[in-house]
Amino acid sequence: MGMKKISVVLNTYNAELHLERVLNSVAGFDEVVVCDMESTDSTVEIARRCGCRVVTFPKGEHKICEPARDFAIHSASNDWVLVVDADELVPDTLRDYLYDRISSGAFDGALAVPRINLFMGEEFEERSDYQIRFFRKDRTTWPATIHSHPIIDGRIEKIPKRRSLSLIHLDNPTISERLSKLNRYTDYDMERRCGKKYGSCKMLFRPLWFFFRSLFLRGGIRHGRKGIVQAYMDSIYQMILMAKITERRLEQDGRDR
């Protein structure tokens, strides 16, 4: 039996900022597929220069990458797929770990990969999250909704949370950019959660809980002022989301009268 192969899949739209650095970090895999949503910058040129196979998913009215995720992973030539965003680095140690896991033939599930995020230019390692990014393509479907997770036919395991085995998320938006994203993401989140009801107690205490969790339980306090800002951002996100859902419900109730 020959060595099992892995395809890396990236979804892109105007992703030139970090792309070459990201593609250099995945050069050791068997195949790199860039699924582009009709970029207008140099994304496709960079991908082809780095030797990637480029496929196109029509952008249309889409404002998020998730509608193209399923098409992208099933465009890969190999059975095993690692999904990487265009602003995430893959350490060599993580690559070697993935090949080791599939080499014996005993592993046949999916892996949730730890990811280290930046906030105000600093790595918040204790706030690293898990992303389900490594799986067999024939056992995976990816819903088209924002921040959705792949649906896996099989067991999902977590890679140990170590920096050497983590994706490094290069995205480091300014506070102004984060607020713009907050507004956009709460709009998308509202569509998913519009059936929920938030009473006065939840609207009062839910943001406070997220502030406390971010600052103390998730270690934000160790980052001083940056940690405090992060905690407020987490709290504000919840408040804005609940306000938008409440506003819509009140509008609907008014129309039903």
Side-chain angles (χ1 to χ4, degrees):
M1 183 181 296
M3 183 177 178
K4 294 185 178 180
K5 296 183 177 181
I6 299 174
S7 294
V8 173
V9 171
L10 293 91
N11 287 88
T12 58
Y13 177 70
N14 289 349
E16 65 182 7
L17 180 60
H18 301 294
L19 186 59
E20 187 163 1
R21 187 178 173 193
V22 170
L23 294 179
N24 287 337
S25 79
V26 297
F29 288 88
D30 298 287
E31 176 188 49
V32 180
V33 179
V34 172
C35 179
D36 187 68
M37 297 177 73
E38 301 178 318
S39 291
T40 58
D41 64 0
S42 61
T43 293
V44 172
E45 176 188 337
I46 294 170
R48 288 179 173 148
R49 186 171 71 240
C50 291
C52 305
R53 182 159 66 88
V54 178
V55 297
T56 302
F57 186 90
K59 185 177 187 303
E61 298 299 316
H62 299 304
K63 296 180 180 178
I64 55 176
C65 69
E66 279 78 8
R69 289 284 202 195
D70 203 61
F71 172 79
I73 63 177
H74 289 95
S75 297
S77 302
N78 299 307
D79 292 335
W80 288 98
V81 171
L82 172 66
V83 174
V84 178
D85 283 348
D87 56 4
E88 294 172 343
L89 299 178
V90 181
D92 292 345
T93 44
L94 175 56
R95 180 198 63 211
D96 295 342
Y97 178 91
L98 297 178
Y99 277 105
D100 287 344
R101 288 301 304 267
I102 64 174
S103 62
S104 66
F107 177 73
D108 200 33
L111 291 174
V113 185
R115 181 179 65 171
I116 296 174
N117 299 294
L118 296 176
F119 187 79
M120 298 179 76
E122 184 176 345
E123 288 188 5
F124 275 44
E125 194 165 345
E126 66 280 343
R127 284 183 61 99
S128 60
D129 54 8
Y130 272 100
Q131 302 288 327
I132 304 170
R133 296 291 188 80
F134 186 68
F135 40 71
R136 288 176 57 103
K137 67 178 182 182
D138 60 345
R139 295 189 177 182
T140 305
T141 56
W142 203 305
T145 55
I146 190 169
H147 292 164
S148 58
H149 301 290
I151 299 172
I152 307 293
D153 179 15
R155 181 183 177 189
I156 301 172
E157 298 180 22
K158 287 185 176 182
I159 295 177
K161 192 176 280 190
R162 298 200 295 265
R163 193 182 191 283
S164 61
L165 298 178
S166 299
L167 297 168
I168 307 300
H169 196 193
L170 299 174
D171 187 39
N172 184 34
T174 64
I175 296 300
S176 179
E177 290 167 338
R178 287 181 184 276
L179 288 172
S180 296
K181 285 186 175 183
L182 182 151
N183 188 47
R184 186 165 69 251
Y185 288 169
T186 50
D187 279 346
Y188 294 134
D189 229 355
M190 179 177 62
E191 298 302 326
R192 292 193 305 168
R193 305 188 189 195
C194 59
K196 290 185 174 292
K197 293 183 179 180
Y198 294 103
S200 299
C201 286
K202 273 196 175 180
M203 293 190 76
L204 176 62
F205 290 109
R206 186 177 174 86
L208 295 175
W209 160 246
F210 273 81
F211 179 87
F212 176 84
R213 187 182 73 164
S214 177
L215 192 60
F216 298 106
L217 301 186
R218 301 186 71 179
I221 193 68
R222 290 193 288 270
H223 297 272
R225 290 176 297 174
K226 294 178 183 178
I228 294 171
V229 173
Q230 175 73 78
Y232 274 116
M233 295 292 288
D234 288 347
S235 175
I236 290 168
Y237 185 96
Q238 296 301 317
M239 188 65 248
I240 297 300
L241 176 61
M242 291 188 295
K244 288 182 177 182
I245 292 173
T246 300
E247 180 181 56
R248 174 173 288 190
R249 292 191 69 87
L250 291 173
E251 289 173 352
Q252 291 173 341
D253 290 345
R255 287 195 295 268
D256 291 341
R257 289 174 185 168

